[in-house]
């Protein structure tokens, strides 16, 4: 495994452990490579809930609750499907964070979407998002690139979620202090 990917995976795992968060995954084009990369790190049972490899559209629908009409209209490789995959995994695993990966690894391509295109969906309790990139390379290079991108998206979104939570807590504390000061006056 590429050293940059291993370093990113270790960084994500540190954040999960420090926050005592759990993670679940839903993979399509990476075929379990993301789960394998993360669980190669010792102690995964303390933060890794479960994972789905939903390569076929039917599996995305049945296992993760992806909307069949949305899947038909947008295609499996879309922001909407990545988000639905992440939300479905999050709900089914009862985890703190979910990451989903759907893309076109190659070498052939049966759609009008670019080879190497990937969408990574991320979800937690009160937010969901999807990000995309195009890797461009061989099937193996694309899959590794997709995994690296997914880990980076996970770190960025976890950090943002934690920051939002801290800001909300500080605002709530200020509001409580203001109410208390008003009562004392």
């Amino acid at each position: 495994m590429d050293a940059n990917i291993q370093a990113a995976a270790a960084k994500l795992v540190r954040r999960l452990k420090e926050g005592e968060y759990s993670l679940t995954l839903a993979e399509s084009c990476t075929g379990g490579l993301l789960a394998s990369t993360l669980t190669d790190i010792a102690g995964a049972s303390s933060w890794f809930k479960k994972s789905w490899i939903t390569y076929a559209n039917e599996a995305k629908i049945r296992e993760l609750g992806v909307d069949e009409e949305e899947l038909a209209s947008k295609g499996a490789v879309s922001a909407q499907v990545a988000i639905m995959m992440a939300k479905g995994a999050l709900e089914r695993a009862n985890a703190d964070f979910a990451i989903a990966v759907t893309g076109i690894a190659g070498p052939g391509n049966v759609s009008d979407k670019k080879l190497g295109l990937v969408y990574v969906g991320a979800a937690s309790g009160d937010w969901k998002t999807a990000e995309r990139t195009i890797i461009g390379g061989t099937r193996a290079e694309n899959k590794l690139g997709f995994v690296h991108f997914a880990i980076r998206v996970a770190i960025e979104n976890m950090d943002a979620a934690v920051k939002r939570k801290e800001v909300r807590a500080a605002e709530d504390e200020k509001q409580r202090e203001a109410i208390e000061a008003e009562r004392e006056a």
Side-chain angles (χ1 to χ4, degrees):
M1 181 64 62
D2 176 90
N4 291 328
I5 297 172
Q6 288 176 326
K11 184 177 182 179
L12 174 59
V13 169
R14 273 193 307 278
R15 283 186 168 59
L16 290 164
K17 287 180 177 181
E18 288 167 2
E20 297 182 1
Y21 300 121
S22 59
L23 179 70
T24 189
L25 305 172
E27 299 181 67
S28 183
C29 57
T30 48
L33 186 59
L34 178 57
S36 178
T37 299
L38 293 172
T39 59
D40 280 349
I41 298 170
S45 61
S46 69
W47 52 267
F48 189 84
K49 286 279 197 165
K50 64 183 348 184
S51 148
W52 286 264
I53 301 170
T54 55
Y55 214 82
N57 287 348
E58 176 187 312
K60 289 174 183 68
I61 295 165
R62 189 183 53 217
E63 298 294 323
L64 298 172
V66 171
D67 182 84
E68 190 171 0
E69 290 176 17
E70 192 78 20
L71 186 62
S73 96
K74 300 292 183 188
V77 183
S78 66
Q80 295 86 343
V81 169
I83 288 170
M84 286 188 279
M85 289 172 64
K87 282 180 55 183
L90 185 71
E91 292 165 1
R92 285 158 179 77
N94 193 28
D96 295 308
F97 293 98
I99 300 297
V101 184
T102 182
I104 303 169
N109 187 357
V110 295
S111 78
D112 61 348
K113 296 176 181 168
K114 189 167 177 69
L115 185 67
L117 172 66
V118 67
Y119 285 90
V120 172
S124 189
D126 60 347
W127 60 268
K128 58 191 180 302
T129 189
E131 296 183 34
R132 65 167 256 165
T133 194
I134 298 175
I135 303 296
T138 66
R139 182 177 183 82
E141 290 166 341
N142 284 336
K143 287 176 71 172
L144 286 172
F146 295 169
V147 165
H148 195 198
F149 181 67
I151 292 169
R152 288 192 351 250
V153 167
I155 291 168
E156 291 166 8
N157 282 284
M158 275 184 61
D159 287 353
V162 168
K163 189 67 168 169
R164 283 190 303 269
K165 187 176 180 180
E166 290 170 355
V167 167
R168 278 194 305 267
E171 289 171 353
D172 290 348
E173 181 61 27
K174 282 182 183 179
Q175 187 175 12
R176 279 192 292 278
E177 288 172 359
I179 291 170
E180 190 63 33
E182 201 173 282
R183 285 184 187 156
E184 292 175 1

